[in-house]
Amino acid sequence: MIAPSILSADFARLGEEIAAVAGEGETRADWVHVDVMDAHFVPNLTLGLPVVKALLKSTDVPIDCHLMIEDPDRWAIGYAEAGAYNVTVHAEAAKDPIALAKNLRAAGAKAGLSIKPGTALEPWLEALKHYDTLLVMSVEPGFGGQSFIPDVLAKVRAARRLVDTGHLKLVVEIDGGINAETIEQAAEAGVDCFVAGSAVYGAGDPGKAVAALREQAARGRAG
C-alpha cells in the first residue's frame, strides 16, 4: 500500500495534488496521508480539522490522518467523526491509548498508534491489540524531507512477526524518508503501507511515482 503524504504537496493546490494520485490501477494511492501538527507535540504547524473536512469532500481516496498533537484523547475523535478512514495518534501523547482506540473505532474510523524512532515497541504491545494500524516513524516527527533511520526496521520486523503469528491484527505502516532508495529494505522488513512525501510529490508525475514505489515494495517484500 502506498500513502502519499500531502506534507510535500503544494498547499495552495491540495485538491489537485490529491487528484494527481487518485487515478486508476497501480497509479492510484491506497491512502492519502495527512500530517496534522500543532506546534506543541512537534515544533511545526501544518493544518487541522477544517482543512481535513475540506479534503474529505474533495476525494474518495481514504484519508489517513496522522495526528502529531498534544492531548489526542480530546481532539482525535473529531477527525474520525468527520470521516477520516484511519486516525493515528502518538503513543507518547495519548493518556489512555486503549480507551482512545475504542472511541476512534466507535466514531467510525480505523485506529492507529504511532511510535517515534526512539520509542520501544514492547511497552505498547497490549495497547496495540486494540489498534488497526501501527505507524513506525523512521524519522523524528515534525518535518518533511528527513533521512531514513534504518535502525527502526528492528521494530518493524518484531511487529511483523507478531502479526504473522496472530498476536496482533494490524497494518504495519512506516513514515519518514521513504523513497526509491529505502522502500525495498522497509518492505523486506515487513511493512504493509508506505508513507511517501517528496518521493511522490517531488516527481514530475505523482501517479507514476506511486506505481513505481508500489513495484519496488513488491520486489522488496518478495525478497
Side-chain angles (χ1 to χ4, degrees):
M1 298 167 61
I2 306 297
S5 171
I6 63 167
L7 186 63
S8 297
D10 182 348
F11 271 37
R13 301 172 51 251
L14 284 182
E16 296 168 57
E17 294 281 66
I18 292 176
V21 296
E24 297 179 351
E26 296 299 296
T27 65
R28 181 180 173 87
D30 297 279
W31 295 348
V32 168
H33 190 81
V34 178
D35 288 305
V36 176
M37 306 182 194
D38 65 356
H40 294 285
F41 179 71
V42 293
N44 205 354
L45 179 68
T46 54
L47 48 80
L49 186 55
V51 175
V52 170
K53 287 180 177 178
L55 296 178
L56 285 162
K57 293 176 183 176
S58 74
T59 186
D60 61 351
V61 179
I63 297 294
D64 176 32
C65 284
H66 178 193
L67 306 185
M68 289 173 264
I69 64 173
E70 288 185 352
D71 200 8
D73 304 69
R74 177 182 179 186
W75 299 110
I77 307 306
Y79 292 85
E81 291 173 342
Y85 176 79
N86 189 71
V87 178
T88 295
V89 299
H90 265 269
E92 303 87 357
K95 296 181 179 69
D96 189 340
I98 293 175
L100 182 49
K102 292 177 179 178
N103 289 336
L104 286 169
R105 286 172 159 181
K110 301 290 185 182
L113 191 68
S114 182
I115 54 176
K116 295 180 181 181
T119 300
L121 176 65
E122 289 72 19
W124 304 101
L125 293 181
E126 189 60 36
L128 282 167
K129 293 178 181 178
H130 301 270
Y131 280 83
D132 304 290
T133 308
L134 166 64
L135 176 57
V136 177
M137 293 299 299
S138 43
V139 298
E140 289 297 330
F143 297 94
Q146 297 180 66
S147 297
F148 181 78
I149 301 172
D151 290 352
V152 305
L153 294 181
K155 288 187 280 190
V156 170
R157 293 187 180 95
R160 181 83 262 150
R161 286 193 296 270
L162 291 166
V163 172
D164 290 346
T165 55
H167 290 84
L168 293 175
K169 295 180 180 179
L170 45 73
V171 170
V172 180
E173 186 177 10
I174 196 164
D175 181 5
I178 294 297
N179 53 40
E181 286 70 47
T182 59
I183 193 167
E184 290 191 30
Q185 58 182 302
E188 183 276 332
V191 172
D192 299 304
C193 183
F194 305 84
V195 177
S198 55
V200 172
Y201 284 114
D205 186 325
K208 288 183 178 178
V210 167
L213 288 169
R214 193 188 309 282
E215 182 179 349
Q216 281 193 281
R219 284 202 302 268
R221 197 64 179 268

